[in-house]
Amino acid sequence: MKDLVVVAAAQPTCSAAPTKNGVSKAAATPTTDEAAKNGHEHCTFHHDMELDHRPPTRESLLPDMSRSYRLLLSSLGEDPDRQGLLKTPERAAKAMLFFTKGYDQSLEEVLNDAVFDEDHDEMVVVKDIEMFSMCEHHLVPFYGKVSIGYLPKKKILGLSKLARIVEIFSRRLQVQERLTKQIAIAVTKAVDPAGVAVVVEGVHMCMVMRGVQKINSKTVTSTMLGVFRDDPKTREEFLNLVHSK
């Protein structure tokens, strides 16, 4: 078993996930086709404890990223060799990998078969899911909350998976408009419901720390698909549930 761990740790991409009885599906390096089939051909960095595997971090990127942050510090007129900044380039590189760990996750692996047959056709709403993301225009954070509703058609999704879907797409370089739509489309792919509604409320540091510097401004975006777009009463019910205390 120790030999298997050493081999897996040396791979630049994910090796195969363990089977249900705990035995590895492959001890050797997976082929390109196998990696693509497993959905980990570009595996890099994440710590999703519900997954049945632990892909290695893309540590090979850290030296180049650290050098880039060191150059940035020098360009700002700082001394990257002073005590307080000695480890800052490496810390910043690791932080950026964490902030963008959503690139390394797919919908299929996060769902992890948590889709269940259930004779339920009433609205399901999970609201106020905390969200943290990075503005792709200025590389500064935006954060807020996400509310998701869907109308099942005999299939329901494990409730925690809605929050994990938010994580997949928020932990990337984003704009809020695209993030909102990607979440809605992902829920649609997961359970093929009669409709999906997503509302995102965000505070953007690019408007708070710089530019217009409006500290109390919030941005609200929504995506309505299926019955939520076509039926005003269904849409109104969802919005009332989201805004209720």
Side-chain angles (χ1 to χ4, degrees), residues 1 4-5 7-41 43 51-56 109:
M1 187 62 183
L4 175 61
V5 173
V7 172
Q11 306 306 325
T13 57
C14 274
S15 57
T19 59
K20 290 182 179 179
N21 61 10
V23 179
S24 175
K25 293 180 181 177
T29 305
T31 65
T32 301
D33 290 341
E34 289 172 341
K37 185 176 180 181
N38 292 334
H40 301 300
E41 65 274 26
C43 238
L51 300 182
D52 61 356
H53 68 289
R54 299 293 181 268
E109 69 177 8

Side-chain angles (χ1 to χ4, degrees), residues 46-54 101 105 110 164:
H46 64 79
H47 295 292
D48 191 330
M49 299 308 292
E50 281 198 13
L51 300 182
D52 61 356
H53 68 289
R54 299 293 181 268
K101 65 178 182 176
Q105 296 176 305
V110 167
R164 293 192 180 278

Side-chain angles (χ1 to χ4, degrees), residues 135-184:
C135 168
E136 68 179 31
H137 299 146
H138 302 98
L139 297 185
V140 294
F142 68 93
Y143 64 93
K145 57 186 180 180
V146 180
S147 295
I148 304 172
Y150 71 98
L151 205 61
K153 290 192 304 186
K154 309 301 182 183
K155 288 185 180 295
I156 61 172
L157 186 61
L159 295 178
S160 70
K161 301 307 179 183
L162 293 172
R164 293 192 180 278
I165 287 173
V166 173
E167 280 287 292
I168 293 176
F169 297 105
S170 64
R171 293 295 188 174
R172 303 180 180 191
L173 302 184
Q174 275 288 10
V175 294
Q176 186 173 320
E177 297 87 342
R178 181 171 67 239
L179 170 63
T180 308
K181 189 170 185 178
Q182 286 177 331
I183 293 170

Side-chain angles (χ1 to χ4, degrees), residues 32-237:
T32 301
D33 290 341
E34 289 172 341
K37 185 176 180 181
N38 292 334
H40 301 300
E41 65 274 26
H42 299 301
C43 238
T44 57
F45 184 86
H46 64 79
H47 295 292
D48 191 330
M49 299 308 292
E50 281 198 13
L51 300 182
D52 61 356
H53 68 289
R54 299 293 181 268
T57 63
R58 202 160 47 172
E59 293 182 352
S60 61
L61 290 177
L62 289 176
D64 284 343
M65 293 179 67
S66 296
R67 282 192 291 271
S68 296
Y69 277 111
R70 182 181 173 85
L71 177 60
L72 176 61
L73 291 173
S74 297
S75 299
L76 292 173
E78 268 289 358
D79 176 11
D81 291 319
R82 70 177 175 86
Q83 184 181 23
L85 295 178
L86 278 176
K87 294 186 178 181
T88 295
E90 183 179 358
R91 291 191 191 104
K94 290 180 178 179
M96 183 57 73
L97 286 178
F98 181 81
F99 296 154
T100 58
K101 65 178 182 176
Y103 287 122
D104 311 315
Q105 296 176 305
S106 69
L107 179 63
E108 291 74 19
E109 69 177 8
V110 167
L111 292 181
N112 199 23
D113 297 324
V115 177
F116 308 102
D117 296 326
E118 188 67 38
D119 187 17
H120 183 77
D121 58 3
E122 298 295 332
M123 192 180 302
V124 177
V125 176
V126 177
K127 66 179 186 176
D128 296 338
I129 302 169
E130 294 176 342
M131 171 275 296
F132 301 91
S133 192
M134 294 286 286
C135 168
E136 68 179 31
H137 299 146
H138 302 98
L139 297 185
V140 294
F142 68 93
Y143 64 93
K145 57 186 180 180
V146 180
S147 295
I148 304 172
Y150 71 98
L151 205 61
K153 290 192 304 186
K154 309 301 182 183
K155 288 185 180 295
I156 61 172
L157 186 61
L159 295 178
S160 70
K161 301 307 179 183
L162 293 172
R164 293 192 180 278
I165 287 173
V166 173
E167 280 287 292
I168 293 176
F169 297 105
S170 64
R171 293 295 188 174
R172 303 180 180 191
L173 302 184
Q174 275 288 10
V175 294
Q176 186 173 320
E177 297 87 342
R178 181 171 67 239
L179 170 63
T180 308
K181 189 170 185 178
Q182 286 177 331
I183 293 170
I185 291 173
V187 175
T188 300
K189 288 181 179 178
V191 289
D192 188 28
V196 177
V198 178
V199 172
V200 179
E201 182 180 286
V203 175
H204 292 249
M205 302 316 294
C206 59
M207 289 183 61
V208 174
M209 297 176 64
R210 57 164 299 281
V212 293
Q213 300 181 55
K214 302 301 181 184
I215 63 174
N216 294 315
S217 65
K218 294 182 179 180
T219 300
V220 180
T221 52
S222 69
T223 294
M224 304 288 168
L225 302 178
V227 67
F228 288 94
R229 176 182 285 271
D230 300 332
D231 185 355
K233 290 185 177 180
T234 303
R235 182 167 61 250
E236 182 181 6
E237 179 184 352

